Amino acid sequence: ENITVPIRGWAGFPNKEKDGLYGIIAPWIAKNGTTWLFNEANVLVRAPCWNCTYQLVNDACLPSGYGEDPMLYIDHRDNLHIVYHKFAGVDFGGLPCTVTGGCGGHAYSADGGKTWHTGPTTYNATVSYTNGETIHYLTRQRPHMIMNSNGKAIGLSTGVTVCSTSNCTVDNAWPGYTDRGLTSVQPLNVD
């Protein structure tokens, strides 16, 4: 059965939409039940439980034009993290990530989401495999972290689009690419 869960309290944050919508909402439910929601409009809210009233934590977590497809998570040290797909945002002068070399972004907060720190590009469109093969994909987006039982990030899953031409571009317009897409899972070098 499909159910709709109302996000109580979100209506109290006018003009926090992206293109008139809330866009993709990235949830994270902590072990104690605290629920965090981050949306593509760059807004982070928190509630003591998933069906409780949400309170605004920050309405500008990431730089303007940061990207899309966020994933929010809390690490084993209780720091908040957001990984996201960087696209033709202002930080790249409107160029796509395959041109700039940086497709993925990362930000973290050690103070419960009040202050955020962003770093360099976290991944690009090139993936090296254990068999020695390296593939440069047309797109690499929708990042998701894979966590172990201790809450440590051990892998990165992304949606990738396989190039169909020698110069790794397509000429078909919106609503999307006609090239083949797949999921790539890459282990992280962590101890």
Side-chain angles (χ1 to χ4, degrees):
E1 175 183 1
N2 292 328
I3 61 168
T4 300
V5 178
I7 302 175
R8 286 186 255 169
W10 201 288
F13 312 119
N15 303 317
K16 301 301 179 206
E17 304 89 8
K18 179 179 178 182
D19 301 326
L21 304 169
Y22 290 120
I24 293 174
I25 295 176
W28 186 266
I29 300 176
K31 290 179 183 177
N32 67 2
T34 299
T35 303
W36 303 81
L37 301 174
F38 176 79
N39 76 352
E40 286 188 322
N42 209 3
V43 175
L44 178 69
V45 296
R46 177 183 58 220
C49 62
W50 68 269
N51 62 349
C52 296
T53 300
Y54 287 82
Q55 301 296 317
L56 178 67
V57 176
N58 193 326
D59 64 356
C61 300
L62 303 175
S64 176
Y66 76 93
E68 63 181 357
D69 301 336
M71 184 207 173
L72 175 72
Y73 68 97
I74 298 176
D75 70 15
H76 62 286
R77 290 180 235 116
D78 289 329
N79 294 316
L80 287 165
H81 295 262
I82 300 171
V83 291
Y84 52 93
H85 169 229
K86 286 184 171 183
F87 61 101
V90 267
D91 53 342
F92 292 132
L95 298 173
C97 70
T98 50
V99 173
T100 63
C103 293
H106 170 256
Y108 74 93
S109 173
D111 64 3
K114 295 178 186 118
T115 316
W116 288 87
H117 307 278
T118 57
T121 295
T122 54
Y123 63 87
N124 59 27
T126 302
V127 178
S128 297
Y129 292 92
T130 54
N131 67 359
E133 184 178 16
T134 298
I135 298 178
H136 178 75
Y137 291 103
L138 175 62
T139 63
R140 189 169 180 209
Q141 49 192 304
R142 294 189 174 92
H144 291 275
M145 301 306 297
I146 301 167
M147 315 298 279
N148 70 12
S149 60
N150 297 322
K152 288 187 179 182
I154 59 170
L156 172 67
S157 167
T158 53
V160 296
T161 305
V162 179
C163 300
S164 63
T165 62
S166 60
N167 66 355
C168 201
T169 61
V170 293
D171 60 4
N172 58 307
W174 180 259
Y177 301 115
T178 57
D179 293 317
R180 296 170 289 147
L182 55 110
T183 299
S184 170
V185 178
Q186 195 172 23
L188 300 178
N189 294 324
V190 295
D191 294 325

